[in-house]
Amino acid sequence: MIDLDFIVRFKTKTKYKSAYQNAKASYLNRIRWAISMFYFGMGLCFSTWASRIPSIKTALHLGAADLGTILFALPVGQLTMMFVSGKLVTRFGSHRILPLSVLMYVFCLTNLGLAQNAWQLGLGLYFFGIFGNLTNISLNTQAVYAEGIFKRTIMSSFHGVWSLAGFTGALVGLGMLALKINTYTHFLITASVVLLLVIFNVKFLIKAKETIKTEKQKGFRKRDKSLILLGIIGFCSMASEGIMFDWSGIYFKDVVKVPEALVVLGYTSFMIMMASGRFFGDGLINKFGRKKVMQISGCVISIGLFTAVFFPYIIPSTIAFMFVGLGVSTIVPTIYSLAGKHPTIPTGEALTAVSSVSFLGFLMGPPLIGYIAELFGLRFSFAFIGIFGFVIALMVSRIKAIE
């Protein structure tokens, strides 16, 4: 591990100034590369699961409501681990927790491919959610530490790598379906790749310790208000993102009615634009400001989802899903960066609060879609989530810290 025993606080530069000045640029880039590879591994795991949802749904003879109920096991696992993850990362360090959580994450992924009935799939998703949350918190903590070392915002690029992994997973999933490779073998291949990424990059993780303490009572409500608003924004954005992962393939299959080989087209177009937006996100924010970019992004999400609802044909729906990908691309990295720069709350604590609430949207959105789809149809459920984009645009204007 890289021994940088500093406090990553953007307004306390002297805490890590010496370590930063003495480190070579090439070594710092290797740190950034290592953290990026963990993002890639996590994104590859989730996108691999998402790419096989239509296949699993068919194999287990699940209806929309049945699938929605089973998918709800993911946020339940997330909730179970939410209040524990931050404590584990704080006590043992993200550099120790991250490798272990990733290993368990890939183990849970392979188990999903062995499910023979609904309850086995639900149980597997529950543990997939548990270790997904632990990986999410420890990995984003590493990213915030990296921003402290580089002394500039690079969070969007990390999330861009995660999106790139999602795109890669979609393409691989398409290839696996074309070659008629079964789900378990597909998951096992992905797990092997991620294990190699862990082996080659684990020693470059940042060993850091959060030591800043804050008063527990003074100004608690005032300090928490901004984090609550950031969490709501993240929730709405990641709910929109989550339905793309879990339901885009089903939407193209059941509503757009494309051939089997093209069911991942919508998901792939979404991932291409989300990855592109995140790699260019920092430049857009520097030019136009966080507030304007986030408000426009929220509106773009809604426009994309409503377009897919009103024009359920292959070309307009593909373009619509690209709009959704572009809209969600910069929102989550921006709110994570803002949480990490909170003036009074330690980085780890603020990041845990915002990322946990945000990720709940990612996990709870898909099950909600299933229930609504069963009652009113899949198109109506997509329209319901489409409202979230406008909610984001409204909420952004209420946070003074966003410029």
Side-chain angles (χ1 to χ4, degrees):
M1 299 298 173
I2 297 170
D3 190 4
L4 292 175
D5 190 10
F6 67 95
I7 304 169
V8 184
R9 302 296 294 171
F10 289 85
K11 292 189 177 182
T12 317
K13 298 180 181 179
T14 57
K15 296 294 183 182
Y16 54 85
K17 183 176 180 180
S18 178
Y20 174 79
Q21 290 177 339
N22 293 333
K24 293 181 179 180
S26 59
Y27 201 55
L28 292 178
N29 289 332
R30 186 62 182 87
I31 297 172
R32 183 174 180 177
W33 174 262
I35 296 174
S36 295
M37 288 302 96
F38 273 91
Y39 270 97
F40 189 88
M42 186 180 182
L44 187 62
C45 281
F46 197 89
S47 62
T48 297
W49 146 249
S51 71
R52 300 304 294 239
I53 289 177
S55 300
I56 293 174
K57 178 178 180 289
T58 300
L60 299 184
H61 307 289
L62 301 172
D66 294 329
L67 181 60
T69 300
I70 293 170
L71 291 177
F72 194 68
L74 266 171
V76 171
Q78 167 85 2
L79 282 170
T80 302
M81 204 64 183
M82 183 186 299
F83 300 105
V84 181
S85 295
K87 294 180 181 179
L88 289 175
V89 170
T90 300
R91 181 173 180 179
F92 299 105
S94 57
H95 61 288
R96 294 191 182 96
I97 296 297
L98 179 56
L100 295 176
S101 64
V102 172
L103 293 178
M104 291 304 301
Y105 195 51
V106 298
F107 177 71
C108 291
L109 173 67
T110 58
N111 283 342
L112 294 176
L114 296 174
Q116 299 296 315
N117 50 53
W119 75 263
Q120 290 178 352
L121 180 61
L123 184 62
L125 287 173
Y126 173 75
F127 286 102
F128 197 54
I130 284 179
F131 292 105
N133 176 267
L134 189 58
T135 301
N136 179 53
I137 297 301
S138 54
L139 181 54
N140 278 290
T141 299
Q142 282 285 311
V144 173
Y145 290 160
E147 282 195 325
I149 296 176
F150 281 86
K151 297 195 289 189
R152 68 177 187 271
T153 300
I154 56 176
M155 184 69 77
S156 289
S157 67
F158 285 134
H159 285 255
V161 173
W162 190 91
S163 301
L164 182 62
F167 173 62
T168 302
L171 289 181
V172 172
L174 181 63
M176 294 291 179
L177 288 171
L179 295 173
K180 300 186 183 303
I181 295 177
N182 65 61
T183 301
Y184 178 69
T185 302
H186 180 187
F187 289 178
L188 199 61
I189 292 172
T190 297
S192 300
V193 172
V194 177
L195 287 176
L196 289 175
L197 292 177
V198 172
I199 291 171
F200 285 110
N201 293 285
V202 65
K203 66 180 180 179
F204 294 98
L205 294 178
I206 302 169
K207 181 180 179 181
K209 186 176 181 181
E210 192 75 68
T211 59
I212 292 179
K213 296 182 179 180
T214 58
E215 299 177 23
K216 296 183 178 180
Q217 300 297 329
K218 184 178 180 180
F220 179 78
R221 294 182 180 178
K222 183 177 180 181
R223 290 183 317 212
D224 252 17
K225 183 178 180 181
S226 63
L227 295 184
I228 292 173
L229 293 176
L230 287 174
I232 294 173
I233 293 171
F235 181 95
C236 292
S237 177
M238 296 196 77
S240 305
E241 185 177 334
I243 68 169
M244 291 291 103
F245 276 93
D246 288 3
W247 287 97
S248 59
I250 297 173
Y251 192 88
F252 262 61
K253 181 180 180 180
D254 296 346
V255 178
V256 182
K257 299 186 183 304
V258 300
E260 182 70 24
L262 297 178
V263 293
V264 298
L265 180 61
Y267 171 79
T268 303
S269 63
F270 163 79
M271 290 304 307
I272 289 174
M273 292 307 295
M274 185 169 71
S276 300
R278 285 179 170 172
F279 283 118
F280 293 102
D282 291 333
L284 292 174
I285 290 172
N286 290 332
K287 184 174 182 179
F288 300 106
R290 289 190 180 96
K291 179 174 289 188
K292 184 175 292 185
V293 170
M294 291 180 73
Q295 287 175 326
I296 293 175
S297 296
C299 293
V300 168
I301 292 173
S302 294
I303 291 172
L305 288 171
F306 284 124
T307 299
V309 169
F310 291 118
F311 303 97
Y313 311 105
I314 185 168
I315 294 178
S317 292
T318 300
I319 296 174
F321 282 18
M322 293 175 71
F323 269 70
V324 178
L326 184 62
V328 302
S329 63
T330 59
I331 293 175
V332 170
T334 301
I335 65 171
Y336 282 6
S337 183
L338 286 168
K341 296 176 182 179
H342 198 285
T344 58
I345 299 178
T347 299
E349 182 181 335
L351 184 62
T352 298
V354 173
S355 63
S356 294
V357 174
S358 299
F359 211 68
L360 277 178
F362 188 73
L363 298 177
M364 293 182 71
L368 180 63
I369 284 291
Y371 292 121
I372 298 176
E374 189 73 12
L375 294 173
F376 304 104
L378 196 55
R379 290 173 67 185
F380 183 87
S381 61
F382 267 59
F384 175 78
I385 298 297
I387 298 173
F388 286 13
F390 294 133
V391 173
I392 291 171
L394 292 174
M395 295 297 292
V396 167
S397 63
R398 299 185 59 184
I399 303 179
K400 295 179 180 180
I402 301 179
E403 299 176 355

